[in-house]
Amino acid sequence: MAAIGLECAPTDGSLMNQNAASSVIDLSEIATDRRRDTISGRETGRATRERLGVSEQITGSDQVEIRIPEHVRVITPSFFVGLLASDISLLESIDDAKEVFTLTNASDTTQLNFDHAVSTILGRGSPFDSIQSRQKKFSFLSSWKTKK
Amino acid sequence: MPNRRYFVNRTKEGAANRLNLRRFDRKRRRKRRLQVREIVRRKQSQALLNGLAPDRNSTQRATLRKLSERNNRISLDCFSFLDSPEETILRLVEIAEVDAVGVKYSIDFEDEYCLDVGPYMLLGLMQQEMAETCDGGKMSRPLMKVLEAVGLRTFLKMGLFPINAVNDVLPVRLTTHSGIRQNRLGFESHESAKERVARRFSESINNWLMALRFMLTNNGSDWVRSLLAEVLDNSRHANPADADGGWSVAGFMVARERADGTPRFICHIGIVTLGATFAQSLLNSEEPKILSNIRSYASAHKNSSELYDYDALITTCALMDKVSCEGTYADRDIGGCGMSSLINMMNGLGKSSRSDEQPEMAIISGNSCLALKPPYNQMEQVDQSYLQAFNVEQDLNQPPSDAHVYKLKHRVPGTVISLRFTIDPNNLSESVV
């Protein structure tokens, strides 16, 4: 199992289990207003990360539970990206991320949005990947023109 | 008697002022300072007008001549970014120029129906900066109904319309946000304006469907809310200095009769963001990987057609998933997916078997125009992300079609997104699970 914030995470399963730690990110503080049933925005995600001290809280954890207040119906992918991108991007694969981070009280859409955020961070590259080979050709052409 | 008393008081006040000259002088100077402040404020707050028509203060004579040739009337025909973007922006520029002259003029809205809500929203935003020199004009009754229902009549500073209660237009009421951040830390424990609008937007879409005896499921409603919140979140790139640009959202659904007598339920949505354009935001990115990708794409195709330029091609990139002006982590692109979700929603709700009723979207960003019309009105899924390359092969190695991606003669200081689609109850029945 992967661990957050440990760049040299031990691969020995038994050791990991001995040191297994879990942490909780409780989002109820950002939705004290019960009318707030949508949480959105990458900027809000980043601010929440700082406010809740997410970075310190989850370092070394094998399991991170994200508690969502019951009245919140939607959390957008960009919020999750702002909140967790720097941690998730350290993981190897989408499966690792889904194993480490679990949502409680999440609606279907929030769960889908979280999966989308994870696949955005860890998934395959941008649409421009398809033109990588062509890009090399362009750079070759431009250098050739400069030399000429 | 009252007049006399008034006269006596005034005289006393005048005498007091004469006796206390220093105080009077101080008051006069303060009043003058306030006037100067007002003039400066007005000049500073004309960012939209000056952005639309940068030369408007220097071309006053030419504008006056053009206006007098038309008997001080401006005619708005086919006022739609979806149907004639170039002409529509030209008319808006003309209005901005006439405002600088300061003469009385009238605007004739020649369209029988509202063809696109976007230009009316932009005109309303212009009105907030304009002197009130417009003297009325012509407008059809169906158009009045739409403007009244959506809340655009007061925004456009128009007088009362001679219509009764509007029951046949289902609106997404106009919401505007100045873009001034209330909480500079970004941490909000209360519902933000964007989230509130997203909630109301999903409720309005549900109202549209309920009028046709359908309704969104909870998940559907959440999805609509989520996608609009994502799209509005893009507005924060529009003004890097303030970290949040101003935005407006409005829309409506109305029933019209087809030639064969059957009803057609047309939906319009407009989203206006003022500030930096898509191209400016992307080119301001500090991410070398994203910059290198979009620059390579634009450089590769900029000579393929004279109708588009570098900026128009960069704007095309803004539609793609994972392309954003901010953020790569550990060398991974984590751009958003708001635009592709919006296009997918439009195609999901507006699926139609009629060729003349296909969903359409126009994106006017700066002087770039993207026309998402058939055959390029849908996002194509390539690997795990959506893109629209505006060519038959959906290949970014090929140049986009210049009928769908082109540059305009004038520029809008921001971005206008206009959507138009028809909800067909028969097609919706097929989509119901």
Side-chain angles (χ1 to χ4, degrees):
Chain A
M1 189 186 287
I4 295 294
L6 293 178
E7 292 193 15
C8 306
T11 48
D12 179 4
S14 58
L15 188 63
M16 285 295 296
N17 288 335
Q18 278 172 18
N19 295 334
S22 63
S23 53
V24 176
I25 301 172
D26 191 351
L27 297 181
S28 57
E29 198 181 329
I30 62 162
T32 48
D33 179 3
R34 287 192 69 82
R35 280 176 305 176
R36 188 181 201 186
D37 55 4
T38 306
I39 302 176
S40 71
R42 195 178 293 195
E43 202 65 31
T44 315
R46 280 198 200 118
T48 307
R49 179 182 177 79
E50 278 181 31
R51 175 74 172 247
L52 301 181
V54 169
S55 189
E56 300 81 42
Q57 211 174 338
I58 66 173
T59 300
S61 301
D62 298 317
Q63 283 287 323
V64 180
E65 180 191 349
I66 302 169
R67 276 191 202 148
I68 297 167
E70 281 180 8
H71 62 276
V72 173
R73 279 176 60 184
V74 182
I75 300 182
T76 62
S78 61
F79 176 83
F80 285 122
V81 167
L83 184 75
L84 298 168
S86 46
D87 302 308
I88 293 176
S89 60
L90 297 174
L91 297 171
E92 289 287 315
S93 66
I94 294 174
D95 291 336
D96 276 354
K98 286 182 181 170
E99 207 173 322
V100 172
F101 291 95
T102 48
L103 307 183
T104 47
N105 291 333
S107 67
D108 292 350
T109 306
T110 301
Q111 185 63 53
L112 275 176
N113 284 346
F114 179 75
D115 294 348
H116 187 93
V118 169
S119 66
T120 303
I121 299 165
L122 294 174
R124 289 187 56 178
S126 71
F128 290 104
D129 287 353
S130 62
I131 57 168
Q132 289 300 315
S133 55
R134 184 77 181 259
Q135 270 182 24
K136 283 175 193 160
K137 197 174 162 188
F138 292 137
S139 57
F140 165 75
L141 276 176
S142 58
S143 61
W144 177 75
K145 277 178 191 166
T146 318
K147 279 176 191 167
K148 194 180 176 188
Chain B
M1 279 304 278
N3 283 342
R4 196 173 163 193
R5 184 180 286 171
Y6 176 69
F7 177 73
V8 170
N9 279 347
R10 285 280 294 205
T11 314
K12 274 185 185 169
E13 195 187 347
N17 281 335
R18 274 199 300 279
L19 286 171
N20 194 349
L21 284 173
R22 277 180 67 189
R23 194 176 132 224
F24 178 68
D25 197 35
R26 207 163 49 228
K27 267 188 173 176
R28 197 178 58 186
R29 271 184 291 171
R30 191 170 155 222
K31 195 176 173 187
R32 199 164 160 193
R33 266 204 308 275
L34 284 174
Q35 281 174 343
V36 171
R37 252 185 237 162
E38 179 57 28
I39 291 165
V40 170
R41 191 196 63 78
R42 199 167 166 232
K43 286 283 170 203
Q44 281 175 342
S45 65
Q46 290 183 326
L48 174 55
L49 294 176
N50 294 335
L52 262 171
D55 303 328
R56 70 193 201 104
N57 290 315
S58 58
T59 55
Q60 293 194 355
R61 195 169 290 178
T63 311
L64 262 176
R65 196 181 61 242
K66 269 194 276 182
L67 196 63
S68 63
E69 280 169 11
R70 296 176 190 176
N71 297 326
N72 284 21
R73 300 189 91 83
I74 295 172
S75 174
L76 303 180
D77 192 13
C78 200
F79 196 49
S80 160
F81 289 132
L82 290 155
D83 302 294
S84 56
E86 194 78 80
E87 275 293 304
T88 302
I89 295 181
L90 190 63
R91 293 284 93 82
L92 291 171
V93 169
E94 211 171 275
I95 292 169
E97 285 173 348
V98 170
D99 172 72
V101 175
V103 294
K104 290 268 181 194
Y105 63 99
S106 57
I107 301 177
D108 292 337
F109 294 89
E110 305 283 358
D111 295 322
E112 173 77 10
Y113 301 113
C114 180
L115 302 174
D116 175 11
V117 74
Y120 294 93
M121 291 167 70
L122 199 57
L123 183 59
L125 288 165
M126 286 166 64
Q127 276 287 354
Q128 311 311 307
E129 301 180 357
M130 281 162 61
E132 291 178 21
T133 45
C134 184
D135 211 11
K138 282 195 301 185
M139 189 184 287
S140 72
R141 196 168 281 265
L143 186 54
M144 281 179 189
K145 282 185 173 181
V146 166
L147 298 186
E148 182 71 50
V150 173
L152 275 162
R153 179 184 63 76
T154 44
F155 195 56
L156 286 160
K157 297 186 177 172
M158 292 176 174
L160 288 170
F161 290 151
I163 50 172
N164 297 325
V166 182
N167 300 323
D168 48 354
V169 179
L170 292 178
V172 177
R173 294 279 296 179
L174 173 78
T175 312
T176 57
H177 191 259
S178 61
I180 298 164
R181 183 180 287 282
Q182 286 171 350
N183 183 351
R184 291 214 159 263
L185 293 171
F187 182 85
E188 292 157 341
S189 56
H190 295 274
E191 189 178 42
S192 69
K194 285 171 194 169
E195 290 159 5
R196 190 165 53 249
V197 171
R199 177 165 50 79
R200 288 184 189 158
F201 183 76
S202 84
E203 285 165 7
S204 301
I205 298 275
N206 203 25
N207 286 342
W208 293 358
L209 294 173
M210 281 166 81
L212 306 175
R213 299 185 180 187
F214 290 90
M215 65 185 289
L216 286 171
T217 58
N218 282 344
N219 286 343
S221 163
D222 293 348
W223 176 65
V224 171
R225 191 181 301 198
S226 174
L227 78 88
L228 191 76
E230 289 288 81
V231 170
L232 292 181
D233 195 40
N234 290 338
S235 71
R236 78 185 187 286
H237 309 311
N239 189 355
D242 201 20
D244 205 354
W247 48 263
S248 309
V249 180
F252 66 93
M253 183 177 92
V254 70
R256 306 255 181 259
E257 202 170 290
R258 292 192 185 100
D260 59 6
T262 54
R264 180 188 173 190
F265 302 98
I266 309 172
C267 303
H268 291 262
I269 296 168
I271 301 168
V272 180
T273 314
L274 296 181
T277 62
F278 280 172
Q280 285 169 336
S281 300
L282 283 177
L283 290 171
N284 277 338
S285 170
E286 289 173 357
E287 297 300 330
K289 193 179 167 194
I290 289 171
L291 270 178
S292 135
N293 277 334
I294 59 174
R295 280 182 177 157
S296 305
Y297 173 75
S299 308
H301 300 309
K302 70 177 179 187
N303 296 327
S304 302
S305 170
E306 287 181 355
L307 295 180
Y308 49 68
D309 60 359
Y310 194 80
D311 276 5
L313 292 163
I314 298 280
T315 308
T316 311
C317 299
L319 295 189
M320 299 172 196
D321 276 4
K322 301 192 178 187
V323 177
S324 166
C325 61
E326 68 172 309
T328 56
Y329 284 94
D331 204 33
R332 297 177 196 269
D333 298 329
I334 52 162
C337 56
M339 285 304 296
S340 61
S341 302
L342 186 66
I343 296 167
N344 288 340
M345 182 201 82
M346 175 182 82
N347 283 292
L349 288 173
K351 192 179 167 191
S352 175
S353 49
R354 293 170 184 253
S355 60
D356 58 334
E357 292 181 4
Q358 292 300 312
E360 292 176 339
M361 181 192 273
I363 298 172
I364 312 288
S365 189
N367 64 343
S368 308
C369 178
L370 305 185
L372 281 104
K373 293 182 176 185
Y376 306 128
N377 58 346
Q378 299 190 35
M379 297 302 284
E380 302 292 329
Q381 194 164 14
V382 176
D383 292 334
Q384 289 173 359
S385 53
Y386 285 98
L387 68 89
Q388 177 49 264
F390 293 99
N391 55 47
V392 179
E393 298 85 7
Q394 288 301 329
D395 181 1
L396 293 175
N397 292 309
Q398 303 294 324
S401 153
D402 57 13
H404 294 79
V405 179
Y406 49 92
K407 64 178 176 185
L408 302 161
K409 285 177 192 150
H410 297 276
R411 63 180 297 120
V412 173
T415 301
V416 184
I417 302 171
S418 289
L419 289 84
R420 179 172 61 203
F421 54 92
T422 300
I423 297 184
D424 187 339
N426 297 328
N427 282 326
L428 277 184
S429 316
E430 289 170 17
S431 311
V432 171
V433 184

